[in-house]
Amino acid sequence: KMSSIRTIQSLPLAQIIIELLHSKGFRNVEDLRDVQPIDLSTELGVTPSAALEILKCAKQSLLNAPDENGVAVDNAPMTAKDLLIKFSSKSRPIITFCKSLDTILGGGVPIGQITEFCGVPGIGKTQLGIQLALNVQIPEVFSGNAGEAIYIDTEGSFMAERAAEMANELSLHLKKIATASENKKNNTAVAQRLAADATSMESLLEGIRVFRNHDQVELLATINHLFAYLNLYPNIKLIVIDSIAFHFRQDTNDPSTRSRV
């Protein structure tokens, strides 16, 4: 019979958080079961929101703990119908604002899947990546995802000034839609106006977390820490890597080594 006890080290959290929990006497995940966010915030010296995300992570770990037969609940078999419901219930696609591209993609870039955009230099891949990082934040009342984005910049091509221009245009676009629907005078129109007023250039830029990776070591380190980072910031619904091949193409000359990495 397998032990269902899970240590704090088993949690998918940043190492600094693991060490902080351990220093405060938390040895097993079970130790966090009945802890309140405000108490953990005070104990660890972190923000209440960070404490809440730590507890969410611990709760998920407890839910997925092995049963009396040593089988993780999360590994239980699912029917084909369950799978269909699971994947069809995911968030709506992220629109690109390019009608033909959205049509090809079935409504936009799907969430929960990997989508690769390829093309010659200067074709607009970075522009599209920035646009998607903004569009994923469109409020739900505008049929958006109301999420946030991670932008991993490996080439130094992310330009904050250009992102600000695009964010400003998106904010104005949402305000125009809200203004056009005001004549309807219904709950949706009111919600759209409130959401549009709250979606400013500054708020959109704050919703993009940029990682600048200078070599393949930094890129791999960032990718390895993404799971823990996403547990701390669960509203992130898009990860853009611009581009994933750059450092491997530049830093690794041997094709077989490059393929293995």
Side-chain angles (χ1 to χ4, degrees):
K1 181 177 179 179
M2 292 177 60
S3 173
S4 61
I5 296 177
R6 293 194 173 188
T7 65
I8 288 296
Q9 285 82 356
S10 69
L11 292 176
L13 296 171
Q15 186 60 34
I16 188 172
I17 299 297
I18 295 294
E19 293 175 356
L20 185 58
L21 285 166
H22 201 270
S23 69
K24 297 299 181 179
F26 297 99
R27 299 292 186 266
N28 302 316
V29 179
E30 184 69 29
D31 296 337
L32 294 169
R33 181 184 291 276
D34 298 319
V35 178
Q36 297 300 311
I38 189 64
D39 296 330
L40 186 64
S41 171
T42 303
E43 181 75 13
L44 300 183
V46 299
T47 64
S49 60
L52 179 60
E53 296 308 324
I54 292 171
L55 292 175
K56 284 182 179 179
C57 182
K59 181 179 179 180
Q60 188 61 45
S61 178
L62 291 169
L63 288 174
N64 293 338
D67 61 15
E68 64 275 8
N69 297 316
V71 178
V73 177
D74 206 35
N75 289 333
M78 299 178 68
T79 66
K81 181 181 178 181
D82 292 334
L83 287 172
L84 177 63
I85 294 173
K86 177 181 178 180
F87 286 104
S88 62
S89 64
K90 286 183 177 293
S91 300
R92 55 179 64 91
I94 308 168
I95 62 172
T96 66
F97 282 140
C98 176
K99 185 176 181 179
S100 57
L101 187 54
D102 285 336
T103 300
I104 292 173
L105 294 170
V109 175
I111 285 181
Q113 300 181 32
I114 296 175
T115 303
E116 183 176 12
F117 293 98
C118 305
V120 298
I123 202 173
K125 301 185 295 296
T126 294
Q127 176 97 355
L128 178 59
I130 296 174
Q131 188 70 65
L132 289 171
L134 293 168
N135 291 357
V136 74
Q137 302 179 60
I138 294 176
E140 291 181 346
V141 71
F142 290 102
S143 298
N145 304 93
E148 296 179 353
I150 288 176
Y151 199 105
I152 301 176
D153 180 13
T154 66
E155 303 184 27
S157 55
F158 181 89
M159 303 299 294
E161 296 81 2
R162 180 57 182 149
E165 293 174 357
M166 297 167 68
N168 187 58
E169 288 300 317
L170 176 56
S171 177
L172 292 175
H173 181 66
L174 295 179
K175 287 179 171 60
K176 288 179 181 178
I177 295 176
T179 300
S181 66
E182 282 182 344
N183 293 332
K184 299 179 181 180
K185 296 181 180 179
N186 54 28
N187 292 337
T188 299
V190 174
Q192 286 186 339
R193 168 51 60 187
L194 292 174
D197 290 341
T199 308
S200 63
M201 177 191 73
E202 291 79 9
S203 68
L204 288 168
L205 292 179
E206 288 176 353
I208 305 177
R209 303 171 189 274
V210 181
F211 291 80
R212 177 69 173 99
N213 292 164
H214 298 85
D215 54 42
Q216 60 175 288
V217 175
E218 290 185 359
L219 175 58
L220 290 173
T222 298
I223 292 174
N224 287 333
H225 282 86
L226 279 180
F227 189 78
Y229 195 84
L230 293 175
N231 273 288
L232 288 175
Y233 302 97
N235 199 39
I236 292 174
K237 298 181 180 180
L238 173 71
I239 300 173
V240 177
I241 304 180
D242 182 19
S243 67
I244 195 167
F246 180 74
H247 289 310
F248 301 109
R249 188 173 62 245
Q250 298 292 322
D251 303 342
T252 307
N253 295 322
D254 180 40
S256 61
T257 301
R258 186 187 308 161
S259 298
R260 287 197 302 272
V261 174

